[in-house]
Amino acid sequence: DDYSTKLQMGDRVDMSVPIVLPITAATKALIGSQKTLTLVAPTGKPVAVLSNPEIYENRKEEMIARLFGGHDPDHPYIKVMMNSGPYLIGGEIELLERIKYNDGLDDFRLTPKELRQKFIDSGTDAVYAFQTRNPTHAGHAFLMQDAGRQLKAMGYKKPLLWLTPLGGWTKSDDMPLDVRIRQHEVIIEEGMLPRDTVMAIWPSPMIYAGPTEVQWHCKSRRNVGARFFITGRDPAGIKRSKNKNQLTVGGDFYDGNHGRYVLQTSPGLGEMKILSFSKVYYDRTDNKMKQPDKSRKSDFLSISGSTMRALAKKGAPPCPDHIPDNWEET
C-alpha cells in the first residue's frame, strides 16, 4: 500500500542532464519582448504554448565539459551541441494536446501518469527498470532475468520488469526505433523476458555522456515509480572517434566501470536501489550468458553487443547449436 501511494504521488529528483531548446540570433530578435510563444512540431503544427520566455547564452563549451568530462570533436552529440544556436530559451510550457508520431508506435508512448497507474494495476511490489537504446541481446536478457531473481530472493513477491527503450534522437548507425521495438516484442513473446514485462518508450534523446547521462536515465525512471534500476558495463558509453585532434584516439570514451560506480554513489537516488552488473560472458558448456566462473575461464567467451550487431549487419548466419572455437575467424 505504501508503494502504491508513492507511485500515485510521483517524486521530484535532481537531474544531471540539462533539457534545453537552442535558438538562433534571428529567432531571439523575432521574439523581442513577447510574453507568449507557440512551439511547433517539425511539420509546423502547434504543439505547445511557452509563456514568460527567458533567454540565456548557450555556453556550449561549459555544458560539454560538464556533461561529457572529456572531448572528441567527432562525438555525435557534441557535434549536435556545437552546431546549435547561440541562445537557449525556457519558460512555462502548456501542452496543447497529446503528441503523436503516427509511426505505429504511439501505443508504446505512455505518460508518467499512465505508467504509474499501469504499475499499480499490476499489483507489483517492486518495479525494476532497464534502459536500452539497442536491440535486446542475450547479455541484456541475462541482466533482466537475474535482476528479477535477485528481487525475489530479497523477499519481493511480484517484481515487475519495465523495459524502457529510448525513443529520442540516436546516432546514425544505431538501430532504428521501430526495428528495436519489434525485436523487443519478439523477445518477450519467446519467453526470454517475463510475459508481464511492461514496455514503454522513453522519449529522451541519447547523448552518449556515460557516467553523467546514466544518472539521468536512472533518476528520470525513479520519478515514474521504478524502485530498482539495472545497470551493466559502460552505460551510455561510446567509442572515441578516429579524429587525430584528441589525446586518445579510438577505444572506449569512458572506463567501462565508471558509469555504474558513479551512479551507485550519486546523490538524489532516495530509496531507489541500483542492481549493478559487471561484464557477462557466453558459457560454452550450456550456451548461456552469465557472469564467469573463475575456476574454468577457458569455457567463457567475451562477445560484446557491438560485435553481435556487426555480425548481424554483415549477414552472418546464426550458429546451429553452439559458438565454434574459431568464431572470430569465420
Side-chain angles (χ1 to χ4, degrees):
D1 291 339
D2 180 58
Y3 186 49
S4 295
T5 300
K6 289 181 178 179
L7 281 173
Q8 289 172 318
M9 292 175 61
D11 199 359
R12 288 187 179 272
V13 297
D14 60 310
M15 293 299 177
S16 60
V17 173
I19 301 172
V20 299
L21 178 59
I23 59 172
T24 64
T27 300
K28 178 178 180 291
L30 283 171
I31 292 170
S33 59
Q34 296 292 327
K35 296 299 181 184
T36 305
L37 307 172
T38 302
L39 301 181
V40 300
T43 60
K45 179 183 177 181
V47 294
V49 174
L50 187 149
S51 303
N52 301 316
E54 298 176 337
I55 296 177
Y56 307 89
E57 180 185 355
N58 187 359
R59 299 184 60 81
K60 302 176 185 180
E61 292 85 355
E62 180 181 353
M63 288 176 63
I64 288 168
R66 292 180 182 276
L67 270 174
F68 298 94
H71 190 66
D72 178 346
D74 288 335
H75 183 293
Y77 205 79
I78 288 178
K79 290 175 74 173
V80 169
M81 293 177 70
M82 290 302 295
N83 291 330
S84 65
Y87 298 100
L88 305 174
I89 188 169
E92 295 295 324
I93 297 176
E94 179 185 355
L95 195 63
L96 298 177
E97 60 183 40
R98 188 179 189 126
I99 294 176
K100 294 187 177 181
Y101 291 75
N102 298 314
D103 57 357
L105 303 177
D106 284 331
D107 288 344
F108 294 105
R109 293 185 174 94
L110 304 180
T111 67
K113 185 176 181 180
E114 289 170 340
L115 278 166
R116 285 195 290 269
Q117 190 59 53
K118 200 174 188 70
F119 298 153
I120 292 167
D121 293 344
S122 75
T124 182
D125 53 357
V127 174
Y128 58 111
F130 185 76
Q131 131 86 32
T132 179
R133 75 170 192 268
N134 291 311
T136 300
H137 58 60
H140 296 148
F142 169 80
L143 301 189
M144 289 182 268
Q145 292 164 354
D146 198 66
R149 286 192 290 268
Q150 289 184 38
L151 293 178
K152 288 179 180 177
M154 293 178 194
Y156 291 99
K157 303 299 183 185
K158 195 177 180 183
L160 180 69
L161 173 61
W162 173 20
L163 178 60
T164 168
L166 196 124
W169 179 92
T170 57
K171 56 189 175 68
S172 59
D173 60 347
D174 277 348
M175 200 72 72
L177 178 61
D178 61 331
V179 176
R180 289 186 278 129
I181 293 298
R182 301 311 175 202
Q183 192 261 1
H184 296 324
E185 286 186 296
V186 172
I187 291 297
I188 295 171
E189 289 170 3
E190 293 187 350
M192 286 186 69
L193 300 178
R195 290 281 180 180
D196 59 353
T197 295
V198 172
M199 180 169 64
I201 294 170
W202 202 242
S204 173
M206 190 69 204
I207 299 173
Y208 309 95
T212 303
E213 186 177 8
V214 72
Q215 296 177 67
W216 155 251
H217 290 167
C218 174
K219 294 173 187 176
S220 60
R221 269 65 169 208
R222 173 195 158 189
N223 202 38
V224 181
R227 179 172 281 186
F228 294 90
F229 185 82
I230 303 168
T231 183
R233 182 190 176 278
D234 198 20
I238 192 173
K239 297 289 185 184
R240 282 190 172 275
S241 73
K242 302 299 184 183
N243 191 303
K244 300 264 194 269
N245 296 320
Q246 52 181 332
L247 293 177
T248 308
V249 178
D252 292 339
F253 197 98
Y254 302 102
D255 180 279
N257 291 312
H258 283 179
R260 61 193 183 96
Y261 289 167
V262 169
L263 179 59
Q264 288 173 298
T265 58
S266 66
L269 289 176
E271 297 179 2
M272 194 172 199
K273 305 298 181 186
I274 308 303
L275 299 172
S276 177
F277 291 85
S278 57
K279 188 174 180 178
V280 296
Y281 294 76
Y282 173 80
D283 186 349
R284 292 191 289 186
T285 64
D286 60 5
N287 304 320
K288 293 181 179 179
M289 299 295 290
K290 62 182 68 170
Q291 292 177 317
D293 182 342
K294 294 181 180 179
S295 67
R296 50 185 185 89
K297 291 183 180 179
S298 60
D299 289 333
F300 291 86
L301 297 177
S302 173
I303 308 174
S304 71
S306 299
T307 300
M308 292 184 193
R309 290 187 291 276
L311 288 169
K313 187 174 183 179
K314 291 179 180 179
C319 298
D321 50 14
H322 68 280
I323 297 178
D325 291 337
N326 64 338
W327 69 273
E328 289 181 286
E329 288 76 28
T330 58

PDB file of all heavy atoms in Angstrom, residues 202-220:
ATOM      1  N   TRP A 202      10.725   5.661 -23.835  1.00  0.00           N
ATOM      2  CA  TRP A 202      11.121   6.856 -23.082  1.00  0.00           C
ATOM      3  C   TRP A 202      11.616   7.878 -24.092  1.00  0.00           C
ATOM      4  O   TRP A 202      12.538   7.608 -24.859  1.00  0.00           O
ATOM      5  CB  TRP A 202      12.230   6.492 -22.089  1.00  0.00           C
ATOM      6  CG  TRP A 202      12.385   7.412 -20.938  1.00  0.00           C
ATOM      7  CD1 TRP A 202      13.494   8.163 -20.619  1.00  0.00           C
ATOM      8  CD2 TRP A 202      11.432   7.684 -19.911  1.00  0.00           C
ATOM      9  NE1 TRP A 202      13.279   8.863 -19.471  1.00  0.00           N
ATOM     10  CE2 TRP A 202      12.014   8.597 -19.015  1.00  0.00           C
ATOM     11  CE3 TRP A 202      10.129   7.243 -19.673  1.00  0.00           C
ATOM     12  CZ2 TRP A 202      11.345   9.084 -17.893  1.00  0.00           C
ATOM     13  CZ3 TRP A 202       9.466   7.724 -18.561  1.00  0.00           C
ATOM     14  CH2 TRP A 202      10.074   8.626 -17.686  1.00  0.00           C
ATOM     15  N   PRO A 203      11.011   9.086 -24.165  1.00  0.00           N
ATOM     16  CA  PRO A 203      11.239   9.967 -25.316  1.00  0.00           C
ATOM     17  C   PRO A 203      12.548  10.753 -25.319  1.00  0.00           C
ATOM     18  O   PRO A 203      12.751  11.599 -26.177  1.00  0.00           O
ATOM     19  CB  PRO A 203      10.040  10.922 -25.230  1.00  0.00           C
ATOM     20  CG  PRO A 203       9.706  10.976 -23.772  1.00  0.00           C
ATOM     21  CD  PRO A 203       9.978   9.599 -23.253  1.00  0.00           C
ATOM     22  N   SER A 204      13.443  10.492 -24.402  1.00  0.00           N
ATOM     23  CA  SER A 204      14.697  11.242 -24.321  1.00  0.00           C
ATOM     24  C   SER A 204      15.612  10.962 -25.508  1.00  0.00           C
ATOM     25  O   SER A 204      15.625   9.852 -26.041  1.00  0.00           O
ATOM     26  CB  SER A 204      15.417  10.870 -23.022  1.00  0.00           C
ATOM     27  OG  SER A 204      16.705  11.458 -22.970  1.00  0.00           O
ATOM     28  N   PRO A 205      16.411  11.942 -25.924  1.00  0.00           N
ATOM     29  CA  PRO A 205      17.470  11.660 -26.904  1.00  0.00           C
ATOM     30  C   PRO A 205      18.611  10.918 -26.224  1.00  0.00           C
ATOM     31  O   PRO A 205      18.733  10.913 -25.000  1.00  0.00           O
ATOM     32  CB  PRO A 205      17.921  13.061 -27.346  1.00  0.00           C
ATOM     33  CG  PRO A 205      17.669  13.918 -26.142  1.00  0.00           C
ATOM     34  CD  PRO A 205      16.406  13.367 -25.519  1.00  0.00           C
ATOM     35  N   MET A 206      19.453  10.285 -27.012  1.00  0.00           N
ATOM     36  CA  MET A 206      20.662   9.643 -26.489  1.00  0.00           C
ATOM     37  C   MET A 206      21.816  10.622 -26.625  1.00  0.00           C
ATOM     38  O   MET A 206      22.048  11.160 -27.707  1.00  0.00           O
ATOM     39  CB  MET A 206      20.955   8.374 -27.294  1.00  0.00           C
ATOM     40  CG  MET A 206      22.040   7.506 -26.679  1.00  0.00           C
ATOM     41  SD  MET A 206      21.494   6.746 -25.139  1.00  0.00           S
ATOM     42  CE  MET A 206      23.076   6.471 -24.352  1.00  0.00           C
ATOM     43  N   ILE A 207      22.515  10.846 -25.522  1.00  0.00           N
ATOM     44  CA  ILE A 207      23.571  11.854 -25.506  1.00  0.00           C
ATOM     45  C   ILE A 207      24.961  11.223 -25.539  1.00  0.00           C
ATOM     46  O   ILE A 207      25.927  11.851 -25.932  1.00  0.00           O
ATOM     47  CB  ILE A 207      23.406  12.755 -24.255  1.00  0.00           C
ATOM     48  CG1 ILE A 207      22.048  13.472 -24.319  1.00  0.00           C
ATOM     49  CG2 ILE A 207      24.511  13.791 -24.151  1.00  0.00           C
ATOM     50  CD1 ILE A 207      21.707  14.240 -23.063  1.00  0.00           C
ATOM     51  N   TYR A 208      25.068   9.964 -25.096  1.00  0.00           N
ATOM     52  CA  TYR A 208      26.340   9.243 -25.044  1.00  0.00           C
ATOM     53  C   TYR A 208      27.313   9.943 -24.091  1.00  0.00           C
ATOM     54  O   TYR A 208      28.472  10.179 -24.410  1.00  0.00           O
ATOM     55  CB  TYR A 208      26.954   9.103 -26.450  1.00  0.00           C
ATOM     56  CG  TYR A 208      25.977   8.558 -27.462  1.00  0.00           C
ATOM     57  CD1 TYR A 208      25.226   9.407 -28.277  1.00  0.00           C
ATOM     58  CD2 TYR A 208      25.765   7.189 -27.580  1.00  0.00           C
ATOM     59  CE1 TYR A 208      24.303   8.911 -29.180  1.00  0.00           C
ATOM     60  CE2 TYR A 208      24.846   6.671 -28.496  1.00  0.00           C
ATOM     61  CZ  TYR A 208      24.118   7.545 -29.288  1.00  0.00           C
ATOM     62  OH  TYR A 208      23.208   7.042 -30.170  1.00  0.00           O
ATOM     63  N   ALA A 209      26.792  10.303 -22.912  1.00  0.00           N
ATOM     64  CA  ALA A 209      27.583  11.025 -21.914  1.00  0.00           C
ATOM     65  C   ALA A 209      27.945  10.156 -20.717  1.00  0.00           C
ATOM     66  O   ALA A 209      28.248  10.675 -19.642  1.00  0.00           O
ATOM     67  CB  ALA A 209      26.836  12.284 -21.455  1.00  0.00           C
ATOM     68  N   GLY A 210      27.898   8.850 -20.879  1.00  0.00           N
ATOM     69  CA  GLY A 210      28.429   7.931 -19.892  1.00  0.00           C
ATOM     70  C   GLY A 210      27.945   8.143 -18.461  1.00  0.00           C
ATOM     71  O   GLY A 210      26.739   8.149 -18.189  1.00  0.00           O
ATOM     72  N   PRO A 211      28.874   8.329 -17.508  1.00  0.00           N
ATOM     73  CA  PRO A 211      28.520   8.421 -16.086  1.00  0.00           C
ATOM     74  C   PRO A 211      27.541   9.551 -15.753  1.00  0.00           C
ATOM     75  O   PRO A 211      26.741   9.413 -14.831  1.00  0.00           O
ATOM     76  CB  PRO A 211      29.876   8.666 -15.407  1.00  0.00           C
ATOM     77  CG  PRO A 211      30.879   8.050 -16.333  1.00  0.00           C
ATOM     78  CD  PRO A 211      30.339   8.319 -17.708  1.00  0.00           C
ATOM     79  N   THR A 212      27.589  10.658 -16.496  1.00  0.00           N
ATOM     80  CA  THR A 212      26.646  11.753 -16.246  1.00  0.00           C
ATOM     81  C   THR A 212      25.258  11.388 -16.747  1.00  0.00           C
ATOM     82  O   THR A 212      24.257  11.597 -16.067  1.00  0.00           O
ATOM     83  CB  THR A 212      27.124  13.048 -16.929  1.00  0.00           C
ATOM     84  OG1 THR A 212      28.426  13.372 -16.467  1.00  0.00           O
ATOM     85  CG2 THR A 212      26.176  14.203 -16.615  1.00  0.00           C
ATOM     86  N   GLU A 213      25.199  10.800 -17.943  1.00  0.00           N
ATOM     87  CA  GLU A 213      23.902  10.503 -18.542  1.00  0.00           C
ATOM     88  C   GLU A 213      23.181   9.362 -17.840  1.00  0.00           C
ATOM     89  O   GLU A 213      21.953   9.377 -17.726  1.00  0.00           O
ATOM     90  CB  GLU A 213      24.067  10.172 -20.024  1.00  0.00           C
ATOM     91  CG  GLU A 213      22.733   9.984 -20.740  1.00  0.00           C
ATOM     92  CD  GLU A 213      22.889   9.737 -22.226  1.00  0.00           C
ATOM     93  OE1 GLU A 213      24.035   9.555 -22.690  1.00  0.00           O
ATOM     94  OE2 GLU A 213      21.853   9.715 -22.930  1.00  0.00           O
ATOM     95  N   VAL A 214      23.921   8.365 -17.344  1.00  0.00           N
ATOM     96  CA  VAL A 214      23.244   7.230 -16.710  1.00  0.00           C
ATOM     97  C   VAL A 214      22.500   7.683 -15.456  1.00  0.00           C
ATOM     98  O   VAL A 214      21.491   7.086 -15.072  1.00  0.00           O
ATOM     99  CB  VAL A 214      24.242   6.092 -16.389  1.00  0.00           C
ATOM    100  CG1 VAL A 214      25.160   6.449 -15.231  1.00  0.00           C
ATOM    101  CG2 VAL A 214      23.486   4.799 -16.083  1.00  0.00           C
ATOM    102  N   GLN A 215      22.935   8.773 -14.837  1.00  0.00           N
ATOM    103  CA  GLN A 215      22.202   9.313 -13.693  1.00  0.00           C
ATOM    104  C   GLN A 215      20.832   9.836 -14.142  1.00  0.00           C
ATOM    105  O   GLN A 215      19.829   9.685 -13.445  1.00  0.00           O
ATOM    106  CB  GLN A 215      23.012  10.425 -13.022  1.00  0.00           C
ATOM    107  CG  GLN A 215      24.307   9.951 -12.413  1.00  0.00           C
ATOM    108  CD  GLN A 215      25.102  11.095 -11.834  1.00  0.00           C
ATOM    109  OE1 GLN A 215      24.700  11.721 -10.856  1.00  0.00           O
ATOM    110  NE2 GLN A 215      26.243  11.393 -12.438  1.00  0.00           N
ATOM    111  N   TRP A 216      20.809  10.463 -15.303  1.00  0.00           N
ATOM    112  CA  TRP A 216      19.533  10.927 -15.876  1.00  0.00           C
ATOM    113  C   TRP A 216      18.639   9.740 -16.217  1.00  0.00           C
ATOM    114  O   TRP A 216      17.456   9.724 -15.900  1.00  0.00           O
ATOM    115  CB  TRP A 216      19.820  11.776 -17.123  1.00  0.00           C
ATOM    116  CG  TRP A 216      18.723  11.840 -18.141  1.00  0.00           C
ATOM    117  CD1 TRP A 216      18.722  11.263 -19.369  1.00  0.00           C
ATOM    118  CD2 TRP A 216      17.483  12.528 -18.030  1.00  0.00           C
ATOM    119  NE1 TRP A 216      17.553  11.540 -20.028  1.00  0.00           N
ATOM    120  CE2 TRP A 216      16.766  12.321 -19.231  1.00  0.00           C
ATOM    121  CE3 TRP A 216      16.890  13.298 -17.033  1.00  0.00           C
ATOM    122  CZ2 TRP A 216      15.504  12.839 -19.467  1.00  0.00           C
ATOM    123  CZ3 TRP A 216      15.619  13.823 -17.264  1.00  0.00           C
ATOM    124  CH2 TRP A 216      14.951  13.597 -18.465  1.00  0.00           C
ATOM    125  N   HIS A 217      19.219   8.719 -16.854  1.00  0.00           N
ATOM    126  CA  HIS A 217      18.442   7.527 -17.202  1.00  0.00           C
ATOM    127  C   HIS A 217      17.795   6.927 -15.961  1.00  0.00           C
ATOM    128  O   HIS A 217      16.615   6.552 -15.975  1.00  0.00           O
ATOM    129  CB  HIS A 217      19.345   6.477 -17.851  1.00  0.00           C
ATOM    130  CG  HIS A 217      19.821   6.841 -19.213  1.00  0.00           C
ATOM    131  ND1 HIS A 217      20.838   6.176 -19.861  1.00  0.00           N
ATOM    132  CD2 HIS A 217      19.416   7.814 -20.072  1.00  0.00           C
ATOM    133  CE1 HIS A 217      21.045   6.713 -21.050  1.00  0.00           C
ATOM    134  NE2 HIS A 217      20.190   7.716 -21.189  1.00  0.00           N
ATOM    135  N   CYS A 218      18.554   6.836 -14.900  1.00  0.00           N
ATOM    136  CA  CYS A 218      18.067   6.207 -13.679  1.00  0.00           C
ATOM    137  C   CYS A 218      17.046   7.085 -12.948  1.00  0.00           C
ATOM    138  O   CYS A 218      15.937   6.646 -12.647  1.00  0.00           O
ATOM    139  CB  CYS A 218      19.260   5.911 -12.768  1.00  0.00           C
ATOM    140  SG  CYS A 218      18.822   5.283 -11.141  1.00  0.00           S
ATOM    141  N   LYS A 219      17.418   8.322 -12.662  1.00  0.00           N
ATOM    142  CA  LYS A 219      16.579   9.165 -11.804  1.00  0.00           C
ATOM    143  C   LYS A 219      15.285   9.586 -12.495  1.00  0.00           C
ATOM    144  O   LYS A 219      14.258   9.785 -11.836  1.00  0.00           O
ATOM    145  CB  LYS A 219      17.365  10.388 -11.343  1.00  0.00           C
ATOM    146  CG  LYS A 219      18.531  10.026 -10.430  1.00  0.00           C
ATOM    147  CD  LYS A 219      19.392  11.240 -10.124  1.00  0.00           C
ATOM    148  CE  LYS A 219      20.639  10.846  -9.355  1.00  0.00           C
ATOM    149  NZ  LYS A 219      21.537  11.984  -9.131  1.00  0.00           N
ATOM    150  N   SER A 220      15.296   9.708 -13.816  1.00  0.00           N
ATOM    151  CA  SER A 220      14.049  10.049 -14.500  1.00  0.00           C
ATOM    152  C   SER A 220      13.068   8.882 -14.410  1.00  0.00           C
ATOM    153  O   SER A 220      11.849   9.088 -14.324  1.00  0.00           O
ATOM    154  CB  SER A 220      14.312  10.427 -15.962  1.00  0.00           C
ATOM    155  OG  SER A 220      14.910   9.358 -16.675  1.00  0.00           O
TER     156      SER A 220
END
